[in-house]
Amino acid sequence: MTDLPFRIGQAVDVHAFAAPDSPRPLMVACLEWPGERPLEGHSDADVVTHDLMDALLGAAALGDIGQHFPDTDPAYRDISSLDLLGRVMALLAAQGWRVENVDLTILAQRPKLKDYLPQMRQNYSRAMGLPVTAISVKATTEEGLGFTGTEQGIAAHGVVLLEPLGK
């Protein structure tokens, strides 16, 4: 723990789309997208939740999800990213931190996310024990440009604010 009044964490994560015949579902921000091509990854490959966890761990100077949940460990194969997020939240609490707010941006040409942003906020609110007003989730396309614009995958950018418990 620290005597600093707060900590800011920032993260970026990207996942490529998996092969079209992959049996796993597409998971984006705690939502399953039936009929959409899934993302490549060791766990459920929820790029947004992975980004959020990296921002949280970074803010507390606790490394990244690769250190805590390595893709070489079969225990994490196909595990729910929400389960991993719960573990990160417990680790933060054990280190004396609480999350003040979260701001996430998803870069995806597909699927179209706009109508699902409120549900994503609700899911993170429940999973993290935060009011929905402390969670921002936005989505944008890259208008046909770059990795996400050419539909090779999905990216996420996140920023979080932590405060010491008891403040």
Side-chain angles (χ1 to χ4, degrees), residues 2-133:
T2 179
D3 58 357
L4 294 174
F6 59 85
R7 292 263 187 98
I8 297 170
Q10 179 274 331
V12 175
D13 197 16
V14 298
H15 283 255
F17 283 112
D21 61 350
S22 175
R24 122 183 333 162
L26 174 63
M27 296 296 296
V28 176
C30 309
L31 294 177
E32 187 173 319
W33 298 81
E36 291 286 342
R37 193 167 157 196
L39 294 171
E40 194 63 52
H42 185 68
S43 66
D44 66 4
D46 183 340
V47 65
V48 183
T49 306
H50 291 185
D51 180 69
L52 171 57
M53 290 186 288
D54 270 343
L56 292 166
L57 291 166
L62 295 172
D64 62 25
I65 62 172
Q67 285 177 257
H68 293 272
F69 316 111
D71 64 5
T72 55
D73 187 336
Y76 303 118
R77 184 78 179 143
D78 297 325
I79 194 168
S80 165
S81 292
L82 275 179
D83 181 21
L84 299 179
L85 178 59
R87 295 177 193 199
V88 169
M89 293 298 291
L91 180 60
L92 291 175
Q95 295 292 316
W97 294 106
R98 72 178 175 92
V99 180
E100 184 64 28
N101 76 303
V102 169
D103 184 18
L104 302 168
T105 303
I106 308 165
L107 291 87
Q109 203 67 32
R110 67 172 181 67
K112 297 300 180 192
L113 304 172
K114 181 184 78 153
D115 294 339
Y116 299 91
L117 298 176
Q119 187 176 352
M120 293 173 187
R121 292 177 68 209
Q122 287 288 342
N123 288 347
Y124 285 127
S125 171
R126 279 191 301 276
M128 300 174 76
L130 296 173
V132 73
T133 55

